[in-house]
Amino acid sequence: MHIREMLAEAERTGKPSFSFEYFPPKTAQGVQNLYDRMERMYRFGPKFIDITWGAGGRIAELTCEMVVQAQTYLGLETCMHLTCTDMGQDQVNDALRKAYKAGCTNILALRGDPPREQEKWEVTDSNFRYAKDLVSHIRSSYGTHFDIGVAGYPEGADDNKDEDLLLDHLKEKVDEGATFIVTQMFYDADNFVRWVGKVRARGITVPIVPGIMPIATYASFLRRANHMDCKIPDGWLEKLEPFKNDDVAVREIGKTLVAEMCRKILAAGIRHLHFYTMNLAQATRMVLEELEWMPSPDQPLKQALPWKQSLGLGRRAEDVRPIFWRNRNKSYITRTQDWDEFPNGRWGDSRSPAFGELDAYGIGLTGSNEQNRKKWGEPRCVADIANMFVRYLNKEIEYLPWSEAPLTSEADLIKDDLIDLNKRGLITVNSQPAVNGVKSSHPVFGWGPANGYVYQKAYLELLVSPDIFPEIKRRIENHPDMTYYAVTKSGSLHTNAPSEGPNAVTWGVFPGKEIVQPTIVESISFLAWKDEAFRLGVDWARCYEANTPSRLVLETIMDKWYLVNIVNNDFHQPRTIFEVLGDLTVPDLDKVPTAPATTNGVHDSTNGAHDSTNGVEASAVPQ
């Protein structure tokens, strides 16, 4: 989506919106930390983000990689900065090609600052002397695919303080095809409003987006203001200076000052603010809270579908997915990235029959063995593993091997039931409660256009011991409304589904639209997910030394237990799916497995068979 369309929507509705800027970190760990932070800040509700350009070499490549990550995996509409600094035409074209292939539709075209080792900016390619040349090149090469932003300078540029000359340059950039303006950071709202008036007087009508720098610490505030030669409004230093050594107090005072500046800007008719986050969340979040812009039960974050959409090339129209990857969005996108088409309207012939291989980057368990042991401890029995899932349900830990995101409030409706299942040894990998026609604006379950209604069937996905699987199978098959799929890591598929076709487990009814069915259960994708689910468990087991209780209990679960998904097709009955599983408990939950005794490297056995109890190999007892 083009930024000018987002800005026009804010103008039309009168509802303010905002966006964030990030820059490429210098280390690999910093990059991963930033991706995690960007995903958390996604939940603040920005309309888009932008990513600064690192001129030359690895940093320039990283900018392009971050655009791919944000668009494709995080579902964030992204604007890529692009500068003339150290850039020839081939490099510019390569960067634009990568942005296009990432699904990016917005570019911020800048002249750029000189490299640190140069005092003055020098032309690298005569075709790109000024930002207007870059704008012209993008427009002539890609037509209207990219929305093109340019920089505005309410307080003058580093090397040019002539306001009239800068306005002439701004007009030239817009005349070449720029469609929106983003300003440098400033704190003087009155001067910004005055400058906007002069911009409009020059006949420049494209939207203007003010750049807002939250105050994180006193030292960083002064450093950035001095570096950008920003005027600091009267009274600000007097309020901040007495607390300059107290970062918490500075942020509290700073949020009030910056929020008041934002209100002045909004009162002047601007409807969108762009926050320079400096890759940090807290100071920006505090300003948004002060403005009462953060999502809340009264002001929920709107989403088009019940899962996070990818904005990668060709995926914007995708609107159907299997529920199995509900908690592993990135993995699903990676495993389907080579499909020629993505399901739109129905799960049918448009999809590829093949899911990507499991050895692709980002599909297996992340983190080092040491990190994962620290995160999940050292379980010694099934009860310990079940307790870890209970801790996840109680939000005491954020992630599980099968869930790359913290638990959402949707689970609150069935939390007690899920905890009960886990305490009885039925390990809940995935779930959703039944929902019978809540408004699409509902703060927890809502999605899609306004004035619609959304529905869900109760769904459970569990790891089930072979000791109780036959009884679970019997109960489900005797119930007229329940369908299931079940499979072991190497076994055949069990199911009572009437066909191999998809079973919609989430759907919505909206004015003027056909029924939307964005989440489904079906056999082919379940078998693809099965391989991944067991692979994650095996990866987790390998975080522990061979023959340790942790390794043994996890390997036994992966080798012998069933992965089972259950759907109650009567969405009017939210409790039935739990009642069917009532009173079932896995035997010997607290039993700690031990490695078989060996003699000269050979397992001690009788008639070649290991003694086995409840699917956990017991130690041989010498006779």
Side-chain angles (χ1 to χ4, degrees):
M1 186 176 186
H2 285 157
I3 287 174
R4 58 187 158 84
E5 294 171 351
M6 305 178 212
L7 302 179
E9 180 184 8
E11 190 72 32
R12 184 174 60 255
T13 64
K15 183 178 180 180
S17 57
F18 57 91
S19 49
F20 299 148
E21 178 178 286
Y22 301 102
F23 62 85
K26 294 181 180 179
T27 67
Q29 187 59 54
V31 172
Q32 186 55 56
N33 291 342
L34 179 58
Y35 287 154
D36 293 342
R37 182 165 290 148
M38 288 165 66
E39 188 148 27
R40 290 194 297 272
M41 293 178 73
Y42 171 95
R43 294 191 281 273
F44 294 4
K47 285 292 184 182
F48 67 90
I49 66 167
D50 70 12
I51 297 173
T52 65
W53 183 259
R58 173 60 187 152
I59 301 300
E61 293 177 12
L62 184 53
T63 295
C64 296
E65 290 173 14
M66 289 178 66
V67 171
V68 171
Q69 182 79 12
Q71 287 277 148
T72 305
Y73 298 104
L74 302 182
L76 286 162
E77 201 73 66
T78 305
C79 177
M80 187 181 81
H81 287 211
L82 188 58
T83 75
C84 303
T85 302
D86 284 347
M87 296 284 284
Q89 185 164 314
D90 289 344
Q91 292 167 295
V92 167
N93 287 339
D94 183 59
L96 291 170
R97 188 161 47 246
K98 288 176 178 176
Y100 180 90
K101 290 179 68 176
C104 177
T105 59
N106 300 282
I107 299 288
L108 189 64
L110 307 165
R111 189 199 70 176
D113 298 322
R116 291 185 182 277
E117 63 272 14
Q118 296 180 14
E119 291 187 9
K120 296 179 65 177
W121 191 86
E122 297 177 2
V123 174
T124 299
D125 188 319
S126 59
N127 291 319
F128 303 120
R129 181 175 295 274
Y130 304 112
K132 68 176 182 179
D133 301 322
L134 190 54
V135 173
S136 177
H137 177 74
I138 297 170
R139 190 60 75 210
S140 63
S141 300
Y142 284 88
T144 59
H145 174 80
F146 289 113
D147 217 15
I148 305 174
V150 292
Y153 301 97
E155 296 182 327
D158 288 345
D159 56 355
N160 188 347
K161 298 298 181 182
D162 186 330
E163 183 172 81
D164 288 330
L165 184 57
L166 287 170
L167 289 172
D168 289 341
H169 293 165
L170 184 60
K171 182 69 163 61
E172 291 170 354
K173 289 185 284 189
V174 172
D175 288 345
E176 289 294 339
T179 47
F180 64 96
I181 299 163
V182 180
T183 78
Q184 68 186 148
M185 61 168 282
F186 62 87
Y187 292 113
D188 188 344
D190 294 331
N191 179 66
F192 168 75
V193 173
R194 177 199 63 80
W195 178 81
V196 169
K198 294 198 69 173
V199 171
R200 298 304 184 217
R202 290 293 182 105
I204 300 171
T205 60
V206 301
I208 297 172
V209 178
I212 311 297
M213 179 74 77
I215 298 174
T217 68
Y218 184 76
S220 64
F221 164 66
L222 282 184
R223 183 173 63 252
R224 289 164 189 152
N226 290 333
H227 175 72
M228 299 302 296
D229 200 17
C230 290
K231 177 186 176 184
I232 299 174
D234 294 339
W236 281 37
L237 291 178
E238 287 81 354
K239 292 177 180 177
L240 291 166
E241 201 275 338
F243 302 94
K244 63 183 179 182
N245 296 318
D246 184 342
D247 291 348
V248 173
V250 166
R251 280 192 289 271
E252 283 292 329
I253 297 166
K255 76 174 184 184
T256 304
L257 295 173
V258 173
E260 184 56 37
M261 176 188 73
C262 292
R263 292 187 186 100
K264 285 186 178 181
I265 294 169
L266 296 167
I270 299 294
R271 290 288 175 264
H272 185 97
L273 307 179
H274 187 60
F275 288 91
Y276 296 120
T277 69
M278 303 307 293
N279 290 0
L280 301 172
Q282 189 175 16
T284 300
R285 175 182 54 76
M286 291 174 71
V287 174
L288 293 174
E289 289 174 339
E290 185 72 10
L291 293 169
E292 298 183 342
W293 286 3
M294 285 287 285
S296 67
D298 296 328
Q299 188 175 278
L301 182 62
K302 291 184 178 179
Q303 52 185 30
L305 292 165
W307 36 264
K308 186 186 292 184
Q309 290 177 279
S310 170
L311 301 180
L313 186 65
R315 297 196 82 129
R316 288 177 183 264
E318 178 186 15
D319 64 5
V320 185
R321 283 189 190 174
I323 196 172
F324 316 119
W325 284 269
R326 172 190 178 96
N327 298 319
R328 285 181 58 78
N329 183 63
K330 296 176 191 174
S331 170
Y332 179 78
I333 293 169
T334 299
R335 294 191 66 187
T336 58
Q337 63 184 343
D338 293 328
W339 286 8
D340 296 327
E341 296 180 71
F342 299 96
N344 174 234
R346 68 188 184 95
W347 180 269
D349 295 338
S350 65
R351 65 165 168 78
S352 163
F355 285 78
E357 296 301 320
L358 294 178
D359 56 0
Y361 177 78
I363 292 176
L365 194 66
T366 59
S368 67
N369 290 351
E370 182 180 359
Q371 288 171 332
N372 290 332
R373 290 194 299 269
K374 184 177 180 181
K375 192 186 308 179
W376 297 314
E378 301 199 11
R380 296 171 56 81
C381 58
V382 172
D384 288 346
I385 293 172
N387 183 60
M388 191 185 81
F389 279 73
V390 170
R391 292 178 60 214
Y392 176 74
L393 291 166
N394 284 324
K395 301 185 179 180
E396 296 172 16
I397 56 177
E398 288 192 329
Y399 309 104
L400 292 173
W402 296 274
S403 183
E404 62 190 11
L407 192 70
T408 66
S409 55
E410 182 185 70
D412 291 349
L413 204 60
I414 54 174
K415 174 182 170 182
D416 291 343
D417 295 301
L418 296 174
I419 288 175
D420 176 63
L421 286 171
N422 281 283
K423 286 183 174 179
R424 291 189 277 121
L426 288 86
I427 310 299
T428 57
V429 175
N430 194 356
S431 62
Q432 75 173 22
V435 172
N436 184 13
V438 301
K439 291 284 287 184
S440 59
S441 57
H442 191 280
V444 176
F445 300 106
W447 54 272
N451 301 316
Y453 289 87
V454 299
Y455 301 79
Q456 293 181 179
K457 296 175 183 177
Y459 172 83
L460 275 177
E461 186 178 324
L462 315 98
L463 289 165
V464 174
S465 166
D467 293 296
I468 62 172
F469 173 69
E471 177 60 16
I472 289 179
K473 179 180 177 181
R474 185 191 68 79
R475 293 184 185 188
I476 295 172
E477 290 181 344
N478 287 338
H479 197 287
D481 297 323
M482 310 282 278
T483 51
Y484 78 98
Y485 291 94
V487 68
T488 59
K489 187 173 76 170
S490 57
S492 59
L493 181 69
H494 300 253
T495 183
N496 68 339
S499 72
E500 291 188 357
N503 179 6
V505 291
T506 306
W507 66 99
V509 181
F510 307 99
K513 295 188 69 172
E514 293 183 354
I515 292 176
V516 181
Q517 303 177 44
T519 316
I520 56 101
V521 166
E522 60 91 45
S523 59
I524 293 176
S525 54
F526 178 62
L527 291 173
W529 163 244
K530 176 266 293 188
D531 293 337
E532 183 173 330
F534 282 114
R535 159 73 180 273
L536 290 166
V538 169
D539 286 351
W540 183 20
R542 289 173 179 167
C543 294
Y544 305 96
E545 294 292 330
N547 293 327
T548 59
S550 297
R551 177 79 166 257
L552 291 171
V553 70
L554 286 167
E555 286 182 339
T556 299
I557 291 173
M558 293 303 105
D559 288 342
K560 299 182 178 180
W561 286 35
Y562 289 82
L563 182 68
V564 182
N565 73 68
I566 309 169
V567 177
N568 180 9
N569 294 288
D570 184 354
F571 57 91
H572 298 95
Q573 303 297 329
R575 300 281 317 136
T576 304
I577 200 167
F578 299 105
E579 292 166 353
V580 166
L581 300 174
D583 73 26
L584 288 171
T585 300
V586 175
D588 297 322
L589 286 173
D590 295 319
K591 183 171 182 177
V592 178
T594 55
T598 60
T599 303
N600 296 324
V602 180
H603 291 305
D604 186 13
S605 60
T606 302
N607 297 325
H610 297 306
D611 183 22
S612 177
T613 305
N614 298 322
V616 179
E617 206 173 61
S619 60
V621 180
Q623 301 297 315

Short mmCIF file of all heavy atoms in Angstrom, two decimals, residues 259-287:
data_model
loop_
_atom_site.label_atom_id
_atom_site.label_comp_id
_atom_site.label_asym_id
_atom_site.label_seq_id
_atom_site.Cartn_x
_atom_site.Cartn_y
_atom_site.Cartn_z
N ALA A 259 4.61 15.05 23.65
CA ALA A 259 3.18 14.86 23.36
C ALA A 259 2.48 16.20 23.17
O ALA A 259 1.61 16.34 22.30
CB ALA A 259 2.52 14.06 24.48
N GLU A 260 2.85 17.21 23.96
CA GLU A 260 2.24 18.52 23.80
C GLU A 260 2.63 19.13 22.45
O GLU A 260 1.81 19.76 21.77
CB GLU A 260 2.69 19.45 24.93
CG GLU A 260 2.04 20.82 24.92
CD GLU A 260 0.51 20.76 24.93
OE1 GLU A 260 -0.06 19.87 25.62
OE2 GLU A 260 -0.12 21.59 24.24
N MET A 261 3.88 18.91 22.03
CA MET A 261 4.30 19.36 20.70
C MET A 261 3.46 18.66 19.62
O MET A 261 3.01 19.29 18.65
CB MET A 261 5.77 19.04 20.49
CG MET A 261 6.29 19.37 19.10
SD MET A 261 7.97 18.77 18.80
CE MET A 261 7.70 17.02 18.66
N CYS A 262 3.24 17.36 19.80
CA CYS A 262 2.44 16.60 18.82
C CYS A 262 1.01 17.15 18.74
O CYS A 262 0.43 17.24 17.65
CB CYS A 262 2.41 15.12 19.21
SG CYS A 262 4.00 14.27 19.07
N ARG A 263 0.45 17.52 19.88
CA ARG A 263 -0.92 18.06 19.87
C ARG A 263 -0.99 19.38 19.11
O ARG A 263 -1.98 19.65 18.40
CB ARG A 263 -1.40 18.25 21.31
CG ARG A 263 -1.62 16.93 22.06
CD ARG A 263 -2.27 17.14 23.41
NE ARG A 263 -2.34 15.90 24.16
CZ ARG A 263 -1.49 15.54 25.13
NH1 ARG A 263 -0.52 16.38 25.48
NH2 ARG A 263 -1.61 14.39 25.74
N LYS A 264 0.04 20.20 19.21
CA LYS A 264 0.08 21.45 18.44
C LYS A 264 0.11 21.16 16.95
O LYS A 264 -0.57 21.83 16.15
CB LYS A 264 1.31 22.27 18.83
CG LYS A 264 1.23 22.97 20.17
CD LYS A 264 2.45 23.86 20.36
CE LYS A 264 2.39 24.63 21.67
NZ LYS A 264 3.56 25.51 21.85
N ILE A 265 0.90 20.15 16.58
CA ILE A 265 1.00 19.78 15.17
C ILE A 265 -0.35 19.27 14.66
O ILE A 265 -0.80 19.64 13.56
CB ILE A 265 2.10 18.71 14.98
CG1 ILE A 265 3.47 19.31 15.32
CG2 ILE A 265 2.08 18.15 13.57
CD1 ILE A 265 4.58 18.27 15.42
N LEU A 266 -1.00 18.43 15.44
CA LEU A 266 -2.30 17.89 15.05
C LEU A 266 -3.35 18.99 14.94
O LEU A 266 -4.20 18.97 14.04
CB LEU A 266 -2.75 16.84 16.07
CG LEU A 266 -1.87 15.58 16.16
CD1 LEU A 266 -2.23 14.77 17.39
CD2 LEU A 266 -2.04 14.72 14.90
N ALA A 267 -3.27 19.96 15.85
CA ALA A 267 -4.23 21.07 15.83
C ALA A 267 -4.08 21.91 14.57
O ALA A 267 -5.02 22.59 14.15
CB ALA A 267 -4.06 21.93 17.08
N ALA A 268 -2.88 21.84 13.96
CA ALA A 268 -2.64 22.61 12.73
C ALA A 268 -3.11 21.86 11.48
O ALA A 268 -2.93 22.36 10.36
CB ALA A 268 -1.15 22.93 12.61
N GLY A 269 -3.69 20.67 11.67
CA GLY A 269 -4.25 19.95 10.54
C GLY A 269 -3.44 18.78 10.04
O GLY A 269 -3.85 18.09 9.10
N ILE A 270 -2.28 18.50 10.65
CA ILE A 270 -1.48 17.33 10.27
C ILE A 270 -2.12 16.10 10.92
O ILE A 270 -2.51 16.12 12.08
CB ILE A 270 -0.02 17.50 10.74
CG1 ILE A 270 0.62 18.73 10.07
CG2 ILE A 270 0.79 16.23 10.46
CD1 ILE A 270 0.79 18.62 8.57
N ARG A 271 -2.20 15.00 10.18
CA ARG A 271 -2.88 13.81 10.69
C ARG A 271 -1.98 12.60 10.87
O ARG A 271 -2.44 11.55 11.30
CB ARG A 271 -4.03 13.43 9.74
CG ARG A 271 -5.19 14.42 9.77
CD ARG A 271 -5.98 14.32 11.06
NE ARG A 271 -7.03 15.34 11.16
CZ ARG A 271 -6.88 16.48 11.81
NH1 ARG A 271 -5.73 16.75 12.43
NH2 ARG A 271 -7.86 17.36 11.86
N HIS A 272 -0.68 12.73 10.56
CA HIS A 272 0.22 11.58 10.69
C HIS A 272 1.57 12.05 11.25
O HIS A 272 2.11 13.05 10.78
CB HIS A 272 0.43 10.89 9.34
CG HIS A 272 1.25 9.64 9.42
ND1 HIS A 272 0.68 8.38 9.49
CD2 HIS A 272 2.60 9.44 9.47
CE1 HIS A 272 1.64 7.47 9.57
NE2 HIS A 272 2.82 8.09 9.56
N LEU A 273 2.10 11.30 12.22
CA LEU A 273 3.39 11.61 12.84
C LEU A 273 4.36 10.45 12.61
O LEU A 273 3.96 9.28 12.70
CB LEU A 273 3.23 11.83 14.35
CG LEU A 273 2.19 12.86 14.80
CD1 LEU A 273 2.15 12.94 16.31
CD2 LEU A 273 2.46 14.23 14.18
N HIS A 274 5.60 10.79 12.34
CA HIS A 274 6.63 9.78 12.09
C HIS A 274 7.66 9.82 13.21
O HIS A 274 8.32 10.84 13.41
CB HIS A 274 7.31 10.06 10.74
CG HIS A 274 8.26 8.99 10.29
ND1 HIS A 274 7.86 7.69 10.07
CD2 HIS A 274 9.60 9.03 10.03
CE1 HIS A 274 8.90 6.98 9.68
NE2 HIS A 274 9.97 7.77 9.64
N PHE A 275 7.79 8.71 13.96
CA PHE A 275 8.66 8.69 15.14
C PHE A 275 10.02 8.09 14.80
O PHE A 275 10.11 6.96 14.28
CB PHE A 275 8.01 7.88 16.26
CG PHE A 275 6.84 8.57 16.89
CD1 PHE A 275 5.56 8.37 16.40
CD2 PHE A 275 7.01 9.44 17.96
CE1 PHE A 275 4.46 9.02 16.97
CE2 PHE A 275 5.94 10.09 18.53
CZ PHE A 275 4.66 9.88 18.04
N TYR A 276 11.07 8.85 15.11
CA TYR A 276 12.43 8.34 15.00
C TYR A 276 12.73 7.55 16.27
O TYR A 276 13.04 8.11 17.32
CB TYR A 276 13.41 9.50 14.83
CG TYR A 276 13.20 10.28 13.54
CD1 TYR A 276 12.89 11.63 13.55
CD2 TYR A 276 13.31 9.64 12.32
CE1 TYR A 276 12.69 12.34 12.36
CE2 TYR A 276 13.11 10.33 11.12
CZ TYR A 276 12.79 11.68 11.15
OH TYR A 276 12.59 12.35 9.98
N THR A 277 12.63 6.22 16.20
CA THR A 277 12.69 5.39 17.41
C THR A 277 14.10 5.17 17.93
O THR A 277 14.28 4.79 19.08
CB THR A 277 12.08 4.00 17.14
OG1 THR A 277 12.93 3.27 16.24
CG2 THR A 277 10.69 4.12 16.55
N MET A 278 15.10 5.35 17.09
CA MET A 278 16.48 5.00 17.42
C MET A 278 16.57 3.53 17.85
O MET A 278 17.39 3.14 18.69
CB MET A 278 17.05 5.93 18.51
CG MET A 278 17.00 7.40 18.15
SD MET A 278 17.77 7.79 16.55
CE MET A 278 19.49 7.41 16.89
N ASN A 279 15.72 2.71 17.26
CA ASN A 279 15.66 1.26 17.52
C ASN A 279 15.26 0.92 18.94
O ASN A 279 15.50 -0.20 19.41
CB ASN A 279 16.99 0.58 17.18
CG ASN A 279 17.27 0.55 15.70
OD1 ASN A 279 16.48 1.04 14.90
ND2 ASN A 279 18.40 -0.01 15.32
N LEU A 280 14.64 1.87 19.64
CA LEU A 280 14.20 1.66 21.01
C LEU A 280 12.68 1.82 21.09
O LEU A 280 12.08 2.53 20.30
CB LEU A 280 14.88 2.66 21.95
CG LEU A 280 16.41 2.60 21.97
CD1 LEU A 280 16.97 3.76 22.79
CD2 LEU A 280 16.90 1.27 22.53
N ALA A 281 12.09 1.15 22.06
CA ALA A 281 10.62 1.14 22.14
C ALA A 281 10.07 2.05 23.23
O ALA A 281 9.01 2.66 23.06
CB ALA A 281 10.13 -0.29 22.37
N GLN A 282 10.75 2.13 24.37
CA GLN A 282 10.11 2.68 25.56
C GLN A 282 9.69 4.14 25.41
O GLN A 282 8.54 4.50 25.71
CB GLN A 282 11.03 2.53 26.77
CG GLN A 282 10.35 2.89 28.09
CD GLN A 282 11.24 2.62 29.27
OE1 GLN A 282 12.45 2.44 29.14
NE2 GLN A 282 10.66 2.59 30.46
N ALA A 283 10.61 4.99 24.97
CA ALA A 283 10.29 6.43 24.90
C ALA A 283 9.16 6.68 23.90
O ALA A 283 8.27 7.51 24.14
CB ALA A 283 11.53 7.23 24.52
N THR A 284 9.17 5.95 22.77
CA THR A 284 8.10 6.10 21.77
C THR A 284 6.77 5.63 22.34
O THR A 284 5.74 6.29 22.18
CB THR A 284 8.46 5.31 20.50
OG1 THR A 284 9.68 5.82 19.96
CG2 THR A 284 7.35 5.44 19.47
N ARG A 285 6.80 4.47 23.01
CA ARG A 285 5.57 3.94 23.60
C ARG A 285 4.98 4.92 24.61
O ARG A 285 3.75 5.12 24.66
CB ARG A 285 5.84 2.60 24.28
CG ARG A 285 4.64 2.03 25.04
CD ARG A 285 4.96 0.72 25.73
NE ARG A 285 6.11 0.81 26.60
CZ ARG A 285 6.11 1.38 27.80
NH1 ARG A 285 4.99 1.92 28.27
NH2 ARG A 285 7.21 1.40 28.52
N MET A 286 5.83 5.56 25.41
CA MET A 286 5.34 6.49 26.42
C MET A 286 4.64 7.70 25.79
O MET A 286 3.62 8.17 26.30
CB MET A 286 6.50 6.93 27.32
CG MET A 286 7.04 5.81 28.20
SD MET A 286 8.52 6.26 29.14
CE MET A 286 7.82 7.41 30.33
N VAL A 287 5.17 8.19 24.67
CA VAL A 287 4.52 9.31 23.99
C VAL A 287 3.17 8.86 23.43
O VAL A 287 2.16 9.58 23.55
CB VAL A 287 5.42 9.87 22.87
CG1 VAL A 287 4.67 10.93 22.06
CG2 VAL A 287 6.70 10.46 23.45
#
